[in-house]
């Protein structure tokens, strides 16, 4: 979902940052890649396949149709496009996650009306065993919030239990919402707030072992110990500055965090996951190094940030953001 401020920030950042389309010409897609498909102009969600090594699922934000794209991260090319049936017309698809049994969950939970839709949807479908263009029937779930409608762009599915969680998007921070133990295609699935999240969240990801939660926003991120949903803040994430930072996922082995952005030929930037060791492994537990390799340059290919320009832009954006908030409150 776009707001005037987000669009302004995207314009400024795109002008100041140099993340070339060839940012990830390497054999290991977990080190970053570029989405080459011209049909993908608003990549809003990202999820690493566990069934197909090196493949990442993504989708457009809105106005595209019921499509999912499988990207080969070694080349950045689309290797399959799925057309979903059994659902209505998607409104504002914001996130995708892989659950137990290689089930794909798609969150049509954005609210371009600012949190006024009485319900949103989640779709579930099996990840195909063969990667090729196909039509797949999905199950559609009606989602409501216990405390009323709201905008959300982040969804995670616990890799062990399959329980679905959402994080609402609010400038002053939102909440982690827990869904029913099992979603039902009949009736409403009510999500209830269980923990505060100190970020204007645009996406989130659970580590493959279910121990760590990464939450990203436009200009930063937070690493939490999952702790059964009772979140414990561990530190900040090294989130790259991107044109419009929308997505995050763990690599299939949990050693990397990959950050995606909207735009044509958008770059996916890779950073070490919290607790990753020098060989790329991950401790996967709370209390580990929480900065994710926090540095100005990072070490992921596809992260050629011009630091000086980025700092200037960040200051300008912060000033504009403060001005916009004063005007709204005035």
């Amino acid at each position: 979902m776009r707001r005037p401020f987000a669009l302004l920030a995207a314009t400024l950042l795109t002008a100041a940052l140099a993340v070339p389309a060839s940012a990830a010409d390497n054999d290991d897609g977990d080190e970053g890649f570029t989405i080459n498909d011209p049909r993908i102009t608003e990549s809003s969600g990202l999820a690493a396949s566990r069934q197909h090594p090196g493949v990442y699922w993504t989708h457009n934000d809105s106005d595209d149709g019921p499509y999912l794209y499988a990207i080969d991260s070694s080349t950045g090319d689309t290797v399959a496009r799925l057309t979903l049936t059994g659902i209505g017309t998607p409104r504002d698809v914001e996130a995708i996650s892989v659950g137990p049994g290689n089930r794909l969950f798609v969150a049509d939970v954005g609210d371009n009306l600012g949190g006024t839709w009485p319900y949103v949807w989640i779709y579930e479908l099996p990840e195909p065993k063969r990667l090729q263009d196909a039509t797949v029937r999905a199950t559609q779930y009606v989602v409501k919030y216990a405390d009323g409608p709201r905008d959300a762009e982040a969804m995670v599915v616990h890799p062990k239990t399959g329980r679905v969680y959402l994080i609402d998007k609010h400038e002053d921070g939102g909440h982690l919402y827990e869904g029913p133990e099992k979603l039902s295609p009949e009736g409403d699935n009510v999500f209830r707030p269980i923990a505060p999240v100190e970020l204007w969240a645009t996406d989130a990801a659970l580590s493959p072992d279910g121990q760590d939660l990464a939450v990203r926003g436009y200009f930063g991120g937070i690493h939490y110990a999952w702790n059964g949903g009772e979140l414990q803040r561990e530190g900040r994430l090294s989130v790259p500055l991107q044109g419009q930072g929308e997505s995050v996922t763990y690599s299939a082995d949990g050693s990397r965090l990959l950050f995606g952005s909207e735009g044509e030929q958008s770059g996916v930037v890779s950073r070490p996951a919290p607790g990753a060791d020098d060989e790329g492994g991950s401790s996967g537990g709370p209390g580990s190094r929480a900065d994710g390799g926090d540095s100005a340059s990072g070490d992921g290919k596809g992260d050629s940030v011009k630091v000086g320009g980025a700092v200037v832009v960040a200051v300008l954006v912060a000033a504009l953001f403060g001005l916009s908030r004063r005007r709204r409150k005035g």
Side-chain angles (χ1 to χ4, degrees):
M1 185 182 78
R2 294 181 176 80
R3 297 187 181 191
F5 168 72
L7 284 175
L8 177 58
T11 302
L12 292 170
L13 287 172
T14 300
L17 303 181
V19 182
S22 59
D25 295 332
N26 60 81
D27 294 330
D28 184 357
D30 288 347
E31 296 299 318
F33 58 95
T34 296
I35 297 175
N36 295 323
D37 194 327
R39 297 171 296 183
I40 304 172
T41 59
E42 295 183 317
S43 176
S44 190
L46 198 64
S49 173
R50 297 165 195 156
Q51 184 171 209
H52 304 288
V55 167
Y56 288 81
W57 290 97
T58 190
H59 53 79
N60 281 310
D61 187 337
S62 57
D63 300 326
D64 180 37
Y67 304 120
L68 302 179
Y69 301 84
I71 310 298
D72 180 347
S73 60
S74 66
T75 63
D77 295 335
T78 298
V79 292
R81 185 175 82 157
L82 303 185
T83 302
L84 277 56
T85 63
I87 64 174
T89 301
R91 291 188 297 206
D92 193 354
V93 182
E94 293 290 354
I96 185 168
S97 185
V98 180
N102 299 315
R103 306 286 296 183
L104 297 177
F105 290 79
V106 182
D108 190 356
V109 298
D111 192 337
N112 285 319
L113 298 178
T116 58
W117 282 329
Y119 58 86
V120 290
W121 299 303
I122 290 174
Y123 314 126
E124 181 186 356
L125 63 148
E127 182 183 23
K129 294 182 179 179
R130 295 182 58 190
L131 291 176
Q132 59 186 13
D133 290 356
T135 299
V136 181
R137 187 168 186 82
T139 301
Q140 178 170 297
Y141 304 110
V142 175
V143 170
K144 292 185 177 181
Y145 297 93
D147 49 359
R150 59 203 55 250
D151 183 26
E153 295 191 8
M155 175 189 67
V156 297
V157 180
H158 196 280
K160 307 297 184 183
T161 68
R163 198 161 195 162
V164 182
Y165 299 82
L166 298 169
I167 300 173
D168 63 332
K169 182 182 180 185
H170 194 276
E171 295 173 22
D172 297 319
H175 286 82
L176 177 71
Y177 284 78
E178 182 181 68
E181 184 175 353
K182 182 175 177 58
L183 296 179
S184 172
E186 305 295 334
D188 300 332
N189 294 274
V190 179
F191 280 62
R192 305 181 185 282
I194 61 171
V197 174
E198 306 155 289
L199 195 70
W200 192 14
T202 61
D203 201 10
L206 269 170
S207 59
D209 60 8
Q211 297 298 310
D212 297 274
L213 176 70
V215 184
R216 79 158 297 172
Y218 291 120
F219 307 114
I222 299 176
H223 165 223
Y224 292 96
W226 179 248
N227 194 36
E230 297 181 4
L231 304 182
Q232 295 179 347
R233 179 168 176 155
E234 294 290 310
R236 60 195 177 101
L237 295 174
S238 176
V239 176
L241 287 171
Q242 295 173 301
Q244 187 171 340
E246 288 284 337
S247 59
V248 63
T249 185
Y250 277 87
S251 59
D253 66 0
S255 68
R256 311 289 296 182
L257 281 170
L258 289 95
F259 299 90
S261 174
E262 290 192 0
E264 296 181 2
Q265 288 200 319
S266 58
V268 176
V269 178
S270 176
R271 295 280 174 86
D277 57 34
D278 292 337
E279 286 73 37
S282 175
S283 65
S288 58
R289 181 171 59 83
D291 61 2
D294 194 3
S295 64
S297 62
D299 65 352
K301 296 181 176 65
D303 185 20
S304 56
V305 176
K306 292 183 177 178
V307 177
V311 171
V312 172
V313 171
V315 171
L316 179 58
V317 168
L320 290 171
F321 182 35
L323 179 60
S324 68
R325 291 191 64 185
R326 287 197 297 271
R327 286 176 176 173
R328 284 197 299 271
K329 292 181 178 180

